[in-house]
Amino acid sequence: MPELNETVVTGLATYYEFVAAQLHERVDPLSNEQFWRKPYPYGNSVGHLVLHLTGNLNYYIGACVAETGYIRDRDREFTDKQPPPKEAALLAFDRTIAMVTATIRKQSARDLGKAYTAEREPEAADRFQIFVRCAGHAYHHVGQIVYLSRELART
C-alpha cells in the first residue's frame, strides 16, 4: 500500500491535470475571436477566465509555495484590453499547470502541513489547504467555461 503522502500528492497533481484537460476540451475548438468574446454584456470571456486561472495559480502556488517570484496583477486578468492571442494564453496556462503539478509532487508530508499565508486568502492555513482550494477554484471556473463555450457555439 502506497504511503499516504504519495497518494495525496499523486491525487492532487492528477486532479489539476484533469482540470486542464477539461478546460482544453472546451477551449481548443474556439477561434481566437470566440475565446475573447463575451457572450453577454456582463461577466467574462473564456480568455479572461483562462488569464485569471493562470494568474491565480501562479500567485497562490507559484509565488507563495514554489517561490517563483511571480507578481500578480489580478485586475488585469479581467480587464486586459490587448490580451495575448489564444495560443499564447493557453501556453501560459499549460506551463502554469506543469509548475503546479511539479510543485505538488515535490511536497513531503511535512511540506503539506507547513503554514501558509497569502493576500486575499485567509482560509488556507497550510499548503495542503491552498492546493485543495485552488483546485476547487479552478474547476469552478472550468464550469463557467463549459457554459460560455456552449453559448459561443450557438452564436
Side-chain angles (χ1 to χ4, degrees):
M1 179 173 185
E3 188 178 321
L4 178 59
N5 190 67
E6 181 183 330
T7 300
V8 169
V9 298
T10 299
L12 282 171
T14 301
Y15 188 76
Y16 278 96
E17 292 163 348
F18 166 78
V19 167
Q22 292 294 302
L23 183 140
H24 274 281
E25 183 179 320
R26 294 301 178 165
V27 171
D28 289 353
L30 299 177
S31 68
N32 188 67
E33 186 275 328
Q34 289 172 313
F35 186 73
W36 293 110
R37 182 176 9 124
K38 290 181 179 182
Y40 302 105
Y42 55 88
N44 299 297
S45 68
V46 168
H48 282 100
L49 289 173
V50 171
L51 292 181
H52 174 60
L53 288 174
T54 302
N56 177 276
L57 295 171
N58 268 314
Y59 174 68
Y60 288 113
I61 296 174
C64 297
V65 177
E67 299 178 348
T68 61
Y70 179 81
I71 306 292
R72 188 176 189 192
D73 184 353
R74 186 180 185 281
D75 292 339
R76 189 172 180 193
E77 295 165 13
F78 297 104
T79 61
D80 194 344
K81 298 294 184 206
Q82 294 185 319
K86 171 189 162 187
E87 293 76 21
L90 289 174
L91 180 61
F93 173 77
D94 290 340
R95 286 181 177 154
T96 301
I97 291 294
M99 176 274 301
V100 167
T101 59
T103 301
I104 290 169
R105 287 187 169 105
K106 291 177 186 173
Q107 302 301 299
S108 68
R110 180 172 286 141
D111 292 332
L112 288 173
K114 283 184 179 175
Y116 180 90
T117 59
E119 184 180 317
R120 298 176 65 127
E121 184 51 63
E123 289 85 12
D126 60 44
R127 288 181 177 185
F128 177 73
Q129 290 178 33
I130 198 60
F131 290 135
V132 171
R133 290 180 60 76
C134 284
H137 176 260
Y139 200 63
H140 166 77
H141 286 306
V142 168
Q144 291 175 323
I145 289 169
V146 167
Y147 180 77
L148 291 174
S149 66
R150 287 180 182 160
E151 289 302 300
L152 289 165
R154 291 176 351 125
T155 59

